Amino acid sequence: MSAALMPYAAYAQKSYQALTNVISLLDSPEQYFDKAILVDGYFVGFHHDALYFSKDHAELRISSYAINVLDDSDTEEGSLSFSPCNGEWVQLSGTFIKAQQPGISYAQGRLVIDSAMLHKNGDICWQRTTPSFLERQK
């Protein structure tokens, strides 16, 4: 089957360079910039998508214990925020990039997400269906 006919999810298989956590990304973001990573945390979506270190941090919206998550889905209904991942302990896979204006806010980096897996049952709760803006730039 040609690459043009393959579903995006099958075509976009990539190997991940690091398994990490929110604290490591906050402590040493430069070690992860432009790397494909897997990261565990508690995801909260909608107005400001973020992956928190713990459920307690998420419930209190303690942004200093969170990383920014970028889902550039074409539709709101197909977004990570509207998926079963929202408000759950998940493992996110994606590429960690520098924030657009590092040093201006707490966010030194952003995770451009490829997929999300629920820890409670191992199910994929969200998967990218179109190439991210990073992949379109290549």
Side-chain angles (χ1 to χ4, degrees):
M1 180 181 288
S2 75
L5 299 175
M6 293 176 81
Y8 177 75
Y11 179 71
Q13 297 299 319
K14 62 170 83 168
S15 59
Y16 291 92
Q17 298 164 300
L19 173 61
T20 189
N21 60 57
V22 171
I23 298 300
S24 293
L25 291 172
L26 293 170
D27 186 48
S28 303
E30 64 283 347
Q31 290 183 340
Y32 300 97
F33 288 149
D34 300 317
K35 290 185 179 176
I37 63 170
L38 300 168
V39 60
D40 295 321
Y42 195 85
F43 177 74
V44 177
F46 296 115
H47 300 295
H48 186 78
D49 292 355
L51 186 69
Y52 291 85
F53 179 67
S54 73
K55 184 176 182 176
D56 290 338
H57 293 112
E59 287 175 351
L60 297 171
R61 300 294 193 270
I62 302 174
S63 58
S64 58
Y65 284 93
I67 59 166
N68 184 263
V69 176
L70 178 61
D71 162 22
D72 58 349
S73 296
D74 292 336
T75 65
E76 191 173 84
E77 293 78 26
S79 71
L80 179 63
S81 293
F82 281 85
S83 75
C85 306
N86 197 17
E88 296 288 341
W89 186 252
V90 296
Q91 181 176 76
L92 300 181
S93 61
T95 303
F96 195 64
I97 61 172
K98 288 182 185 178
Q100 289 181 336
Q101 296 178 320
I104 301 296
S105 69
Y106 77 91
Q108 298 299 307
R110 303 173 83 185
L111 181 64
V112 179
I113 187 161
D114 294 325
S115 68
M117 179 195 71
L118 291 168
H119 275 295
K120 65 183 175 187
N121 59 15
D123 289 344
I124 299 296
C125 53
W126 184 87
Q127 181 128 13
R128 178 173 294 289
T129 57
T130 60
S132 73
F133 74 94
L134 291 175
E135 293 161 328
R136 291 189 304 263
Q137 289 176 348
K138 291 180 184 179

